[in-house]
Amino acid sequence: MRQHNLSHRSDRGENGRVLAYSRDHLQIKYIIDDLHPIDIDLDGKGNLYILDGVTKQILIYDTRGERSGAAFRSGHLKDPVALGVCEENIVYVLDREYGGFVLFESDGTFKGAVGESDAMANDLSHLAIDASGDLFVASERSGSLYQFDRDGSYVGAIQIPGAESVFGIAAGGSGTLYVGTDRGVALLQTRNRYTSKEGFYYTKTLDSGIDACLWHRLAMQAAIPSGTVLDVYYHLSDDPKLKERIDSIILDPKLSVQKKTELIESEIPSWNGPERNPEDMLFQEGKGRYLWLKMALSTFEEGASPLITEMKVFYPRISYLRYLPAIYQEYPESKEFLERFLSLFESVFYDLEMSIEQVFKYLDPESTPGEFLAWLSSWVGMALEEEWSEEIKRRFIQDASLLYRLKGTPEGIKRLIEIYTGKRPAILEYSHMAKPMVLSETGTFRLGIDAFLLQTPVRGFRLGDDAVLGRTALLEGAESPKDPFLPLMHRFMVLLDLPEAQFEKHEKIIRRILNDAKP
C-alpha cells in the first residue's frame, strides 16, 4: 500500500468496517461502515479502493472518507479475493474462479482479464503491486510468493526461508516488499527480479515471396557479455495457414506474453538449431517461403545486459558455386558441401562489397561513423576539439563552407559559438555603440548629454610668424594628428546567456574560437 498521511485497516469481522488512522498521532480520522471488505488499496492520489466480498463490487472513497464516483458494477468478478492498484491507476483483482487477474480502469471500465497460469493455486488470497508494476500473490497456507508481469505473464516463485504460511503482503514506496509470515515480517527488495529464467524473442513472419525458398544466412550485430548465452532457432514452411495463425497470435493484444509463447510453441513444436552466440549463421536445413526466428537469452551474471542492435536475413541462397563449371553441381552431396564452403568466403566478400558500395556515407557528416569525423574534418581543413560531442562535430563539418565564407564577420562568430554552446550570442561593436564629437573650425556643435570629448595627448606647435607661445610645449617637429576614432576600432563585446557553471566549463574553448575567428 502506498504511503499517505492516513493509514487504513479493514475489519473483516461482523462489523464490516474500514478504519482510517492518522499517521501522526494514530487517531481515527473516519470509519466506513456497512461493508464486507475483502481487500483495500490506495491509488497515487490517496483515493481508497475497497473490494466488497458480498456484492462483488469495488467502492472508491476520497481522502475524507466520502464516496467518490459510482461502484464498479461488473459481472466479470466471480470469486474475487484480493485487489491492487498500480501506478497507472489500473485496478487488478485476483479472482479464484477465473484463475488470473481481472483489470479495470480507475473509472470502472472493464479492460479484460490476464493470467490464467497453472501457477495460480486455488488458495491464493493476497496481492501486492510494486512500483515497477510487477504483481506478487501469496497464500495463507504456503510460504511462497508468485511473481507476475503486469500483463499477467508468470515470472516465477519466491520461497520465504523458514516460512510455512503468509498472512499478508504490501509493497513499500522505496522498492521494497513486506511479507507477513508465521516467522515474522520478511523484507524483500523488489527492484530486481527474484527469479532467473530464459527469455525468448520471436520474430513476426518473414515472407520471401518465393515458394520452397532456400534461405541463405543471418547476420547480427550484438553485444553478448561473458556469462551470457544467445541461442538462435529457426523454422521454415510454405504453409500460408500457419503464417496466418502465428501472425494472429503475435498481434493479439489480449494475450499475455506467456500465453503467446505457449501458443507459438504449440504451432511450431520443432525448431532447427540452436546456433549458440552466432554473429553470422547459415540456414542449413529445410526450405520454405516463410521464416520464423526464435532467440533465447540467458545469463549467469547479475547485471549483465546483452544487446542485439541489428539482424539481417539474406535470401535466396545464391553462392559462388554458380560461377563454377557445371560438373561441380552434378552430385548433390558435393554440391551441398561446396555451397556451404563457398558461402563462407561469400559472406566475407559481401560485407566488403557492401562497405565499398556505401562509401558515400563516409563522406556525409550526418551518416559517417563517429570515428571518421576527425578524418572527414581534415578534408575541409577544420580541426575538431576532442571534448566536443558527436552532434557538435557533425554540425561543425556540415557548416564548414558557410563558416569559411563568414569568417571574421559578426555573423560567422555568432554561428561558431551557437554550434558549440547551443546559444546564439549577441555581439556589440564599440564603434557602433558611441558617436564621439570632433571639434572643428567649421560647423556647429553643442556639448550636452549625448556628446563627449576624447582625451588626446599634449601637442606642440612649430614656431612661426603666427605662433603664440604660452602653455604649449615646444617640439622640433609637429606630430600628425591621431585619429580620434582609433580607441574604438577593432573592439567588440560578446554577450552569451549561459549559467555560470556552464560558462566556466566552456570558457576556454569559447576564447579559442574568438581568437581564431576574429579579424
Side-chain angles (χ1 to χ4, degrees), residues 459-464 467-469 471-479:
R459 300 185 183 278
F461 292 92
R462 171 178 265 177
L463 291 177
V468 178
L469 295 179
R471 300 177 63 183
T472 303
L474 296 179
L475 300 175
E476 294 182 356
E479 294 182 359

Side-chain angles (χ1 to χ4, degrees), residues 56 76-82 93-102 120:
K56 295 182 175 60
H76 296 280
L77 298 179
K78 306 299 182 182
D79 186 14
V81 293
V93 179
L94 178 62
D95 195 297
R96 279 189 185 139
E97 183 172 329
Y98 174 72
F101 304 99
V102 183
M120 285 282 195

Side-chain angles (χ1 to χ4, degrees), residues 168-238:
I169 52 178
S174 57
T176 54
L177 191 70
Y178 299 88
V179 185
T181 72
D182 58 329
R183 298 294 301 274
V185 178
L187 177 62
L188 305 177
Q189 293 293 328
T190 65
R191 287 188 293 270
N192 299 316
R193 294 187 181 274
Y194 300 102
T195 58
S196 177
K197 296 186 65 177
E198 198 173 34
F200 293 92
Y201 170 77
Y202 297 86
T203 65
K204 296 179 181 179
T205 304
L206 303 178
D207 186 355
S208 67
I210 305 172
D211 291 335
C213 177
L214 282 173
W215 296 76
H216 184 31
R217 69 185 181 103
L218 169 68
M220 292 194 302
Q221 292 184 6
I224 308 298
S226 60
T228 300
V229 176
L230 169 64
D231 289 329
V232 181
Y233 304 79
Y234 67 93
H235 181 75
L236 299 167
S237 175
D238 280 315

Side-chain angles (χ1 to χ4, degrees), residues 29 48 85 157 168 183 196 260 275 277 292 304 311 336 425 492 499 507 517:
K29 301 295 292 184
L48 176 65
V85 185
R183 298 294 301 274
S196 177
K260 290 181 179 181
E275 293 281 343
N277 293 344
W292 294 273
M311 292 188 296
E336 184 180 0
F492 61 91
E507 181 182 6

Side-chain angles (χ1 to χ4, degrees), residues 391-449:
E391 180 182 356
I392 293 175
K393 292 177 181 178
R394 294 184 188 277
R395 188 177 174 190
F396 193 68
I397 299 172
Q398 195 170 20
D399 293 349
S401 61
L402 178 62
L403 293 174
Y404 273 125
R405 291 199 303 268
L406 297 176
K407 187 172 184 180
T409 66
E411 181 61 26
I413 295 174
K414 289 179 183 179
R415 282 180 175 269
L416 278 170
I417 296 178
E418 185 180 9
I419 290 174
Y420 177 59
T421 65
K423 298 280 189 178
R424 187 170 178 83
I427 295 182
L428 303 179
E429 297 184 66
Y430 290 163
S431 60
H432 295 167
M433 294 168 56
K435 295 182 179 180
M437 180 175 290
V438 180
L439 303 181
S440 63
E441 296 181 357
T442 61
T444 59
F445 60 89
R446 187 174 182 179
L447 295 178
I449 297 176

Side-chain angles (χ1 to χ4, degrees), residues 129-389:
I129 305 175
D130 69 1
S132 63
D134 286 341
L135 288 76
F136 298 86
V137 297
S139 167
E140 292 182 355
R141 297 194 296 271
S142 171
S144 297
L145 298 180
Y146 301 93
Q147 184 177 358
F148 297 82
D149 277 331
R150 63 180 62 197
D151 65 356
S153 299
Y154 177 62
V155 176
I158 309 160
Q159 180 64 44
I160 307 298
E164 297 181 357
S165 60
V166 174
F167 303 132
I169 52 178
S174 57
T176 54
L177 191 70
Y178 299 88
V179 185
T181 72
D182 58 329
R183 298 294 301 274
V185 178
L187 177 62
L188 305 177
Q189 293 293 328
T190 65
R191 287 188 293 270
N192 299 316
R193 294 187 181 274
Y194 300 102
T195 58
S196 177
K197 296 186 65 177
E198 198 173 34
F200 293 92
Y201 170 77
Y202 297 86
T203 65
K204 296 179 181 179
T205 304
L206 303 178
D207 186 355
S208 67
I210 305 172
D211 291 335
C213 177
L214 282 173
W215 296 76
H216 184 31
R217 69 185 181 103
L218 169 68
M220 292 194 302
Q221 292 184 6
I224 308 298
S226 60
T228 300
V229 176
L230 169 64
D231 289 329
V232 181
Y233 304 79
Y234 67 93
H235 181 75
L236 299 167
S237 175
D238 280 315
D239 187 358
K241 294 183 178 179
L242 177 61
K243 171 189 180 300
E244 293 177 3
R245 292 196 299 270
I246 292 181
D247 286 347
S248 64
I249 293 171
I250 293 176
L251 298 175
D252 191 344
K254 297 181 180 179
L255 295 177
S256 66
V257 173
Q258 182 182 6
K259 192 65 176 179
K260 290 181 179 181
T261 302
E262 294 173 358
L263 293 175
I264 292 175
E265 290 295 336
S266 66
E267 293 288 348
I268 306 178
S270 61
W271 295 80
N272 293 314
E275 293 281 343
R276 177 151 294 181
N277 293 344
E279 292 184 0
D280 199 312
M281 60 171 280
L282 298 175
F283 298 111
Q284 300 185 15
E285 300 179 16
K287 61 179 66 174
R289 172 174 176 171
Y290 308 110
L291 167 68
W292 294 273
L293 296 172
K294 179 176 76 171
M295 300 188 178
L297 275 170
S298 58
T299 181
F300 304 100
E301 298 290 338
E302 184 177 357
S305 298
L307 180 65
I308 300 174
T309 57
E310 182 179 297
M311 292 188 296
K312 187 181 294 183
V313 177
F314 297 83
Y315 71 93
R317 184 183 297 171
I318 301 175
S319 72
Y320 289 160
L321 183 61
R322 65 187 185 275
Y323 297 121
L324 296 180
I327 191 173
Y328 291 98
Q329 305 182 40
E330 289 184 356
Y331 301 100
E333 294 82 1
S334 61
K335 176 183 177 181
E336 184 180 0
F337 169 77
L338 277 175
E339 221 171 25
R340 295 181 184 179
F341 179 74
L342 294 175
S343 66
L344 299 175
F345 301 95
E346 184 180 5
S347 298
V348 175
F349 293 144
Y350 177 85
D351 293 337
L352 292 175
E353 290 170 1
M354 289 298 296
S355 298
I356 294 172
E357 285 183 7
Q358 299 181 11
V359 70
F360 64 91
K361 292 184 177 180
Y362 293 85
L363 306 178
D364 187 343
E366 293 186 354
S367 60
T368 190
E371 58 269 22
F372 279 88
L373 288 172
W375 168 79
L376 187 59
S377 68
S378 67
W379 280 48
V380 293
M382 305 190 81
L384 302 179
E385 299 288 343
E386 292 185 3
E387 56 266 33
W388 286 1
S389 67

